[in-house]
Amino acid sequence: SGGRLISDLSKNPHSIMLFDEVEKAHPDIFNIFLQMLDEGRITGSNGKEVNCKNAIIIMTSNLGSSDNERNNIGFGTQEKSGEDDKALKEFFKPEFRNRLDLVCKFNKLDMLAIKKIVIKFTDDLKKSLKDTHDITLNLSEPLIEYLAEKGYDKKMGARPLARKIDELIRVPLSKKILFERIKNSTINADVGADDTVSFDVQRKLTAEVGEDGIIKVN
């Protein structure tokens, strides 16, 4: 009964549709977008029609981002501005642009946002360590700032952060836990003046009563 878009819209007419990196779509797709944005409906190849007037359509694009990163000719280091508007006009036809209600531009990530991403990535590692080895991992504030500075790239954004966390935290910590047979412990991770990440292991004491009635502390 129609394609996936028509089928999903017929079931959920009040929807938010997100088309990520829309510039990578086939050119024929934009004819469907024109019908959606102008007439508020979609007609499938089998003649089935679905109303999309109650749907919110969001499209993301990276157009102009690479041009903005290019420095001006000469000895200046300032980045170009306005390249995203130029790329938008060159790529999308006027009839498509005129049907957009709003074009929202996103600023580059600030340090606070990058630190939040670091915390999000490391929270996954903390949960894994807690579930598998009963290990509590704590990261110092200087280490979080260090990961944010080293893992963020102006051109690549926050994508290299995961690799940097693997390189500096996950891999060396996994080796330490494996070779030293660490479990049921608290590990405090910090970064030194020489940019070296260190792990301070504090083993949790456990007490058990032996067969002879004597309490043993491990």
Side-chain angles (χ1 to χ4, degrees):
S1 60
R4 181 176 179 182
L5 180 59
I6 292 179
S7 177
D8 288 349
L9 264 179
S10 61
K11 297 176 183 177
N12 304 286
H14 297 80
S15 302
I16 297 177
M17 293 185 289
L18 173 62
F19 298 93
D20 193 24
E21 296 184 355
V22 69
E23 74 274 8
K24 297 180 180 179
H26 191 278
D28 292 343
I29 298 296
F30 291 98
N31 294 328
I32 300 177
F33 287 152
L34 286 175
Q35 187 182 15
M36 293 171 62
L37 300 174
D38 188 30
E39 303 174 9
R41 60 181 175 84
I42 309 175
T43 304
S45 57
N46 59 353
K48 182 177 180 179
E49 183 178 301
V50 63
N51 189 319
C52 56
K53 291 182 179 179
N54 296 314
I56 297 175
I57 302 172
I58 301 174
M59 307 176 188
T60 68
S61 172
N62 291 323
L63 286 171
S65 58
S66 58
D67 293 328
N68 275 333
E69 293 295 340
R70 260 187 234 129
N71 289 333
N72 295 322
I73 298 175
F75 297 99
T77 57
Q78 293 183 349
E79 295 176 351
K80 293 182 178 181
S81 60
E83 293 297 323
D84 44 6
D85 292 330
K86 180 181 178 182
L88 191 69
K89 292 179 180 179
E90 290 179 350
F91 186 85
F92 296 116
K93 296 179 180 179
E95 58 267 26
F96 178 81
R97 300 198 311 270
N98 290 336
R99 285 169 172 81
L100 300 177
D101 293 328
L102 178 67
V103 176
C104 179
K105 300 179 183 179
F106 289 90
N107 296 326
K108 293 181 180 179
L109 296 174
D110 56 16
M111 183 54 64
L112 178 60
I114 301 169
K115 289 168 66 174
K116 288 182 178 180
I117 297 175
V118 171
I119 294 173
K120 178 183 180 300
F121 285 162
T122 53
D123 280 348
D124 296 337
L125 176 59
K126 290 180 180 180
K127 185 178 184 305
S128 176
L129 291 174
K130 189 66 177 178
D131 293 341
T132 57
H133 300 285
D134 192 20
I135 292 176
T136 301
L137 176 63
N138 299 319
L139 273 66
S140 67
E141 185 64 24
L143 178 56
I144 293 175
E145 293 181 359
Y146 178 75
L147 292 171
E149 292 174 358
K150 295 297 181 181
Y152 177 73
D153 183 81
K154 288 185 178 180
K155 294 182 180 180
M156 299 295 293
R159 296 180 188 273
L161 263 177
R163 293 193 297 270
K164 186 59 66 173
I165 292 174
D166 285 343
E167 175 189 343
L168 298 178
I169 305 295
R170 189 184 298 271
V171 173
L173 185 57
S174 299
K175 293 180 179 179
K176 187 177 184 66
I177 293 173
L178 177 64
F179 292 125
E180 298 182 15
R181 298 181 179 180
I182 301 174
K183 62 180 180 179
N184 191 27
S185 304
T186 298
I187 300 179
N188 298 314
D190 198 3
V191 60
D194 57 349
D195 293 344
T196 302
V197 178
S198 60
F199 302 100
D200 179 31
V201 181
Q202 298 178 357
R203 300 183 184 273
K204 300 176 183 177
L205 297 179
T206 58
E208 59 180 4
V209 180
E211 296 179 356
D212 52 2
I214 299 176
I215 300 176
K216 297 180 180 180
V217 179
N218 300 321

